[in-house]
Amino acid sequence: MLNQAFMRLARRSERVDRGRLVDTFVNIGPLMTLVSSVDHQVVFGRRGTGKTHIFNYLSDTRAKDGDVVVYIDLSNIGSSGGIYSDQSILLTERATRLLVDVLLAVHATLFEYFVENSEEFDLSQTGPLLDQFGDLITQVRVVGEVETKEGSTHSLDTRQSSGLRAAFSPDSVEVGADENSSTAESNSVSAEVGRRGREQHAVHFGSARKVWEKMIEIISPKSIWLLLDEWSSVPIELQPYLADLVRRSVFPVRGVVVKIAAIEQRSMFSLSQAHGNYLGIELGADAAADVNLDDFMVFDNDEVRARAFYRSLLYKHIQATDVLESSDLNIKTEIAFLGKAFTQVNTFDELVRASEGVPRDAINVVIQAAQYAGESAIAVEDIRRAAHAWYQRDKETAVKSKEKASRLLHWVITEVIGARRARAFLLQTDARDELIESLYDARVIHILKRNISTPDAPGVRFNVYKLDYGCYVDLMATTKSPLGLLPLDDLDGDGNVRFIEVPPDDYRAIRRAILDINEFYRYVANIE
């Protein structure tokens, strides 16, 4: 019965109604306290970490408190198909279409809100304000500097020819002369129009701010919460233009709170301009960027918190399927639920470890494990088989589509698991690498800690990365299985390398754990 319920779980939150999302939400430490602040904020997190779930829960809580919530899923914006990413269309036109479509979505939500609450808000006041907002939308456009080149040409072509002719016959002699001449004259004028320089907004931001300020006056003391989800679904070259619209027209208005959910590796919030100016949002200055969901739920960082989160997550999701109420299982607590669903506590720990801090991965693994288990409780072997299948189907396939990233992953696995028998490694924070970020975005490596230091390398900062569970799960019953999280430089009494299992705050003697990414590029250069 429980396995059937697991197999009915929704894999993605956007396919579930908001009421069920609220019922299945699990808070993590100070997460909701941070996200509920009135500061403009960007919430980072990779695919599957729960950004949409959090924004839906935040929408519900703010609405219950009486605030106006404008939730926009940017992946569903517009009715113009693939115009945003169509490179054959000018950037100015694509950016204009994006800004207009977003403002139309905001207008539609506000219109619906004021109509539904017409008893509270006088439509004679809100109606003209919405009309003014609509007029503003028609004025939005992005333009570029225009450079015009003109020129003219004139040509004259004269040709002349002459000749003699003679004809003889028995009765006469005929002699004559021929002369031909021709003149051709042509004039042409050419004009060339081109674009140069950086495209700029042609939006009257003062008018936009006034509209928002009047809305705040009408709904005061309530606030407007503008939640922009799936930011990274917008083509990256258009993101700074949308960010600039938000910063200039909304950020200065007291009573409006903006939250943006984005994937860090797929986001660009600003473009630098001359004289220190910029287009877009400057993170840290204009908007806080202090929440990264990737840091919250990794098993190796905090086993107790990770267990508690995933225990509540699965229990609430199973409750939402109504299987507990419609059966005689008599499961009243989360602990009792674990006892029925898994063969032992270690099995559930294996699931938490396999999820690597990504709730969507945990749900997909448990769905697959339930299929393997059939009518029995889920065992460790079921979790391992399911995790390996999920890794191959979802993660490894994505990496294989990028040849260089795939080559780097296999090199890291060889160096870290094969040579060091470890599951994690250190990389200098200033060694930013596109391929490493690609592996992180694909969720085949995970960050355990950021910006740590070591006495062995003063002034140098490191990030601690962990290889995904799927990278080594098939080795766990073999002699090639990793022996620990991070290797230390010193040996134990038997001459073997010692390992640490929990990332400490003070890193000492960790030279053996540092990975030099330049070695990979030297390796590639030698084999090519």
Side-chain angles (χ1 to χ4, degrees), residues 339-357:
K340 290 285 187 179
F342 302 97
T343 56
Q344 54 185 323
V345 174
N346 289 345
T347 303
F348 175 68
D349 286 350
E350 201 75 9
L351 172 63
V352 177
R353 189 176 290 110
S355 71
E356 300 289 10

Side-chain angles (χ1 to χ4, degrees), residues 99 103 195 245 275 279 319 346 357 362 369 422 434 444 448 526:
L99 300 185
L103 288 174
R195 293 193 178 277
L245 174 70
H275 310 298
L279 181 82
Q319 280 184 315
N346 289 345
E434 182 179 350
V444 294
L448 295 183
N526 289 333

Side-chain angles (χ1 to χ4, degrees), residues 20 59 106 129 207 264 290 314 417 431 508:
R20 181 158 291 190
S59 297
V106 174
L129 191 59
S207 298
E264 189 172 8
D290 53 349
L314 293 180
I417 298 179
R508 298 179 183 277

